[in-house]
């Protein structure tokens, strides 16, 4: 029988079979004679078939000192009847009266089936306790978290290897000692459990200045009696250090970028490259709203340039001389978000800086606070942000003095917040508070005419960075780049150009330097969707070389599908003017239904 499963075992499995039953008034001489003919076994004394007492076999030596006429019942243990199907845990819990008794198991008809004497029960409980102790210690040593268990007096009863490593306190020094002797007051969450008796989950904690942990802790109770407390601590010190270093590096990088980037124009929106009507429409709206302090919500797929628009809005505003502070709502752990946003007072929590720390709302005073990936903000934090936007003031963590909100708020997301609101994942009131003015940046596949300008800018930028000559891009390569749908948008395009420059030999970039584009073209050809190549304008005597109407119509439809219906880009791919394209569409009787019925990647296009 497995000792680990002992307490779940039916008590009938632990009892010894009944081999000797005597009348309730049987004398000691009767029991002696029974034992003389067999090996001593526990005897059950019955009265009209009902067990009333048990004389344990372990008391063999006692029997020789008893008078022969003494009733066995006078020196026996009272019998306690229990169903043989009950678990040992249930029997111990329900029948623990504090008095000595022997358990007699009975079947479902009430007939006695076995005996569980105190000695036999004690051996079983000892084996079970030792097995559970081994299990607890094995579990504690298996996890990578620091595990601490204290008794009701705060003395350490379990301290695993991970705790030794994190806190550099050997087990031999701390076991049996008050944990308060090893940590400063207020730094021990497991002791708080002894006082408050309220479990905590995923709580950020700084037990020592050089240690940051996420803690799960709970009291250990039985029948409302406090036995102790247990704590599991995940060491996140390296993550916190890396986050701080990354934040500092990002700020330094932004400063360097602003210092070395040549000033192309006094226009804050000059960094936004592209001349497509869709993009120009967004820029026009952005210019209008930039001069106000209205809250702006920037939407669009990942990689379209939402932060670039936010920076342009800031530089074009009356707050341009103030700071531009960015906060990525998806990159900061929930437990750290409040301190990052609101800051904290000195002594607000264990491990806090002595002078306190300002939050992003405070650092952005007089400037702009850019909340990126606002759609990933948890609901409980959305409510706190909403309160700040409504009351235009906030409090540091641990502070009592309200601080005015003196920053413009710009938020951005790649999610459809109206759909998130409908799904219950985003607060409607916060959505309406942010959605004063919305700038929806179109994905790159909807404005392929912007690709040549973007590619040229990236060629100059990356060639200068890697100290290489600016390469020449072949017409075939440019056409392939224009045809590609760019699911990662401008960011993916820039990365593709940078990779090509790093790996190029010579001064020319061709199609094969862009493997994603090549793979996409190959896949489309295998699916039977030929990509219309760039062609030169038709010769003057076009009637002699013009393809049949069906072939020409197929090429035009393929070009329009490639450019998602953008006629300017399609005309460029076909090597004809936009006016000629319109004339050929009319002559061939083609309409939008002909090319919109099978747009490439239609099923995989994500909503901005």
């Amino acid at each position: 029988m497995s000792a680990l499963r002992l307490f779940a075992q039916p008590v009938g499995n632990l009892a010894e079979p009944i081999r000797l039953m005597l009348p309730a008034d049987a004398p000691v001489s009767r029991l002696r004679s029974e034992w003389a003919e067999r090996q001593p076994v526990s005897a059950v004394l019955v009265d009209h078939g009902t067990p009333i007492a048990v004389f344990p076999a372990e008391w063999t030596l006692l029997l020789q000192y008893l008078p022969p006429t003494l009733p066995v019942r006078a020196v026996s243990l009272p019998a306690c009847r229990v169903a043989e199907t009950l678990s040992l845990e249930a029997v111990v819990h329900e029948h623990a009266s504090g008095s000595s008794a022997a358990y007699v198991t009975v079947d479902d008809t009430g007939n006695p089936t076995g005996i569980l004497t105190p000695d036999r029960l004690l051996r079983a409980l000892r084996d079970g306790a030792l097995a559970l102790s081994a299990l607890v210690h094995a579990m504690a040593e298996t996890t990578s978290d620091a595990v601490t268990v204290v008794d009701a007096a705060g003395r350490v009863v379990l301290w695993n290897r991970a705790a030794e490593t994190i806190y550099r306190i050997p087990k031999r020094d701390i076991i049996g000692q008050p944990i308060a002797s090893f940590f400063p007051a207020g730094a021990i969450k497991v002791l708080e459990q002894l006082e408050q008796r309220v479990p905590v989950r995923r709580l950020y904690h700084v037990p020592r200045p050089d240690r940051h942990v996420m803690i799960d802790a709970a009291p250990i109770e039985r029948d409302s009696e406090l036995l102790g407390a247990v704590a599991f601590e995940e060491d996140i010190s390296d993550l916190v250090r890396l986050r701080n270093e990354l934040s500092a590096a990002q700020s330094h990088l932004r400063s360097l970028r602003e210092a070395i980037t040549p000033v192309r124009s006094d226009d804050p929106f000059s960094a936004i490259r592209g001349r497509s009507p869709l993009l120009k429409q967004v820029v026009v709206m952005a210019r209008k709203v930039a001069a106000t302090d209205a809250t702006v919500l920037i939407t669009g797929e990942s990689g379209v340039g939402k932060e670039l628009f936010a920076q342009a809005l800031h530089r074009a505003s009356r707050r341009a001389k103030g700071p531009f502070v960015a906060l990525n709502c998806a990159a900061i752990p929930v437990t750290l978000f409040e301190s990052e946003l609101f800051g904290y007072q000195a002594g607000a929590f264990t491990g806090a800086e002595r002078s306190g720390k300002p939050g992003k709302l405070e650092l952005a005073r007089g400037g702009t606070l850019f909340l990126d990936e606002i759609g990933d903000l948890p609901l409980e934090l959305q409510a706190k942000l909403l309160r700040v936007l409504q009351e235009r003031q906030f409090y540091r963590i641990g502070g009592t003095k309200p601080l005015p909100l003196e920053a413009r708020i710009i938020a951005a997301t790649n999610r459809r917040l109206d759909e998130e609101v409908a799904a219950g994942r985003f607060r409607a009131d916060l959505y309406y508070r942010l959605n004063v003015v919305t700038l929806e940046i179109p994905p790159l596949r909807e404005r392929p005419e912007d690709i040549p300008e973007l590619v040229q800018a990236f060629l100059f930028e990356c060639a200068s960075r890697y100290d290489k000559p600016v390469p020449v891009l072949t017409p075939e390569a440019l056409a392939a780049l224009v045809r590609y749908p760019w699911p990662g948008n401008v960011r993916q395009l820039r990365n593709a150009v940078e990779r090509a420059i790093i790996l190029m030999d010579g001064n020319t970039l061709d199609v094969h330097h862009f493997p994603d584009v090549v793979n996409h073209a190959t896949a489309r050809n295998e699916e039977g969707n030929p990509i219309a190549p760039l062609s030169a304008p038709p010769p003057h005597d076009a009637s002699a070389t013009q393809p049949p109407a069906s072939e020409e119509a197929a090429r035009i439809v393929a070009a329009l599908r490639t450019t998602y219906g953008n006629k300017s880009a399609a005309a460029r791919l076909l090597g004809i003017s936009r006016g000629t394209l319109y004339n050929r569409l009319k002559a061939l009787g083609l309409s939008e239904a002909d090319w919109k019925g099978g747009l490439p990647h239609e099923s995989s296009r994500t909503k901005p």
Side-chain angles (χ1 to χ4, degrees), residues 435-458:
N435 193 26
V436 177
V437 177
T438 299
L439 298 179
E440 187 170 355
I441 306 176
L444 190 56
R445 64 176 173 273
E446 294 182 4
R447 47 188 181 97
E449 59 268 43
D450 289 343
I451 292 177
E453 181 180 349
L454 289 167
V455 170
Q456 197 61 32
F458 294 151

Side-chain angles (χ1 to χ4, degrees), residues 338 341-342 379-389:
E338 285 190 69
L341 185 62
F342 301 116
L379 282 170
E380 61 269 21
L381 296 178
Q382 293 177 24
K384 297 181 180 180
L385 177 60
L386 174 64
R387 187 177 183 87
V388 172
L389 297 180

